[in-house]
Amino acid sequence: MSQPDPGYRPDQGPQPPWGAPPPGAQPQWGAQPQWGAPQYPGQAWGAPADPRWPAGGPPPYGQPRYVAPPKPGIVPLRPLFFGEIMDGAFQTIRRNAKTMFGSALIVQAIIGVLSGVATLGMLGMGQPPVGGFTSQAQAMNYLGPVLGFTAGIMGISLLTMVLTSILQGVMAIPVARSALNRPTGFKQMWSLARSRIWPLVGLAFLLLAGSFLFVVAVSVLAVLILSATGPVGLLLVLPLGFGALVVFIWIYIKVLVAPAAVTVEELGVFAGLRRSWALTTSSWWRILGITLLVAFMVGIIGSVIQIPLSLASGGLTAVFSPHASTQQVTTTTVVLLVVSQVVGVLISAVGFAFQTSVAALIYMDLRMRRDGLDVELLRLLETGEDPDGVPGRRGQRQAGAQPWPPTTGQGFPTG
């Protein structure tokens, strides 16, 4: 009597013989699997793959597909990386060369001419007598020009701070417009910034007065410490000076984007300072790193260009007039001073335009991170609204346009 098959079960019917794979099982070892084409959503096994899938077909399992933010202008419309800020600054200068470089050149030329006149006046000063002053009139004849030169240098420094603060706010306009690939002419930039000139002047003088009072307060405190303690007071004055420098840098970074906020958002002086203070919150170290690196780059490039010029000026004087008279030496010095001043003005104009563009892009990046400015820029890009205005300026929307971003229950804007 034959034994029943061990794999036989009455409720499942006859089993396949040993060695043969059951239906739907894996193929035998060594044989190629007979898989069909991958099954995409809505596609049967074995059907050819949809050619639209690699480029624009529906994503698998219903997941949303990533779409990179558009980049219509100098930067992509999203929070920016460091390299994008650097590239955007270069692109802004290249696309608006006459506007950016021309404005910076005018201001730097004014400062350069005043500095050159002060330096030439210093060349005409006589040396103090070896044995000291013999009368009060002789001392006043020498100290008068020295005090005048010192006052002139201080005045030029103050004027430089005021003009650069104003220009930093004005030049934020072409940077904001370049984000949407909207070129800005020289006349158009100043026309858009015309209503913000006086707030920028007020901001510049306020920052200048604050800096002056801060330096005076620290200096007076240091003098009082040294007067009370003597040389031992240096142990207190040196940490005080270092701490004052740290505080000054901290405040400088906190108000760095105030000129751009005053111009772009049409804010007042104190509102612009509060706006800059709020925007830089939790981004202070990042802004400090970018600012220091940009200043280092501009300084290195300027030194690389100026050092050969200085060495060449000394060589020219020694080669062409080794035994020159005092008048010839003075004439050569004046000519070389003028040439050096012209080159310095050109370098300063390019460096200032670049630093200003970086500061404006930092401001836009902060607004993208905190206010959703990238969404506003996308809306302007899609609708083409206000093509001659300043992107991000809240007061120049078309009449009847819905506010952005929409409030709860309002829905999305239709225009």
Side-chain angles (χ1 to χ4, degrees), residues 135-212:
S135 63
Q136 184 178 2
Q138 186 181 11
M140 292 303 299
N141 289 335
Y142 174 76
L143 294 177
V146 172
L147 294 177
F149 171 76
T150 304
I153 292 298
M154 292 181 61
I156 293 172
S157 301
L158 298 179
L159 179 63
T160 301
M161 294 180 64
V162 172
L163 291 180
T164 51
S165 297
I166 296 173
L167 195 59
Q168 181 179 350
V170 173
M171 293 174 66
I173 292 177
V175 177
R177 289 177 52 83
S178 296
L180 296 180
N181 198 24
R182 297 176 179 179
T184 308
F186 183 86
K187 182 178 179 181
Q188 183 183 16
M189 180 186 73
W190 287 100
S191 176
L192 291 172
R194 180 172 51 195
S195 61
R196 313 311 306 155
I197 296 299
W198 287 115
L200 288 173
V201 172
L203 176 65
F205 277 103
L206 182 61
L207 294 176
L208 182 62
S211 302
F212 179 75

Side-chain angles (χ1 to χ4, degrees), residues 101 298 301-303 305-306 342-352:
F101 182 70
V298 173
I301 294 175
S303 300
I305 299 176
Q306 288 280 21
V342 171
V343 175
V345 165
L346 294 175
I347 297 173
S348 300
V350 175
F352 179 76

Side-chain angles (χ1 to χ4, degrees), residues 349-391:
V350 175
F352 179 76
F354 179 70
Q355 289 177 299
T356 302
S357 301
V358 170
L361 286 173
I362 290 175
Y363 163 74
M364 296 188 65
D365 172 66
L366 293 175
R367 286 194 62 187
M368 289 180 186
R369 295 174 184 271
R370 297 179 63 89
D371 299 343
L373 178 62
D374 49 345
V375 180
E376 171 71 12
L377 295 177
L378 283 171
R379 187 184 69 84
L380 292 175
L381 178 65
E382 295 175 356
T383 62
E385 180 184 332
D386 195 17
D388 297 325
V390 181

Side-chain angles (χ1 to χ4, degrees), residues 181-267:
N181 198 24
R182 297 176 179 179
T184 308
F186 183 86
K187 182 178 179 181
Q188 183 183 16
M189 180 186 73
W190 287 100
S191 176
L192 291 172
R194 180 172 51 195
S195 61
R196 313 311 306 155
I197 296 299
W198 287 115
L200 288 173
V201 172
L203 176 65
F205 277 103
L206 182 61
L207 294 176
L208 182 62
S211 302
F212 179 75
L213 292 177
F214 182 81
V215 173
V216 169
V218 173
S219 301
V220 170
L221 184 59
V223 170
L224 292 177
I225 292 175
L226 291 176
S227 301
T229 60
V232 182
L234 290 175
L235 299 177
L236 298 176
V237 172
L238 293 179
L240 174 65
F242 179 76
L245 179 62
V246 172
V247 172
F248 185 85
I249 294 175
W250 180 73
I251 296 176
Y252 173 80
I253 296 298
K254 294 293 291 183
V255 300
L256 178 65
V257 298
V262 168
T263 304
V264 175
E265 300 184 58
E266 296 184 312
L267 301 176

Side-chain angles (χ1 to χ4, degrees), residues 11-26:
D11 57 339
Q12 293 183 353
Q15 299 295 318
W18 290 101
Q26 298 290 336

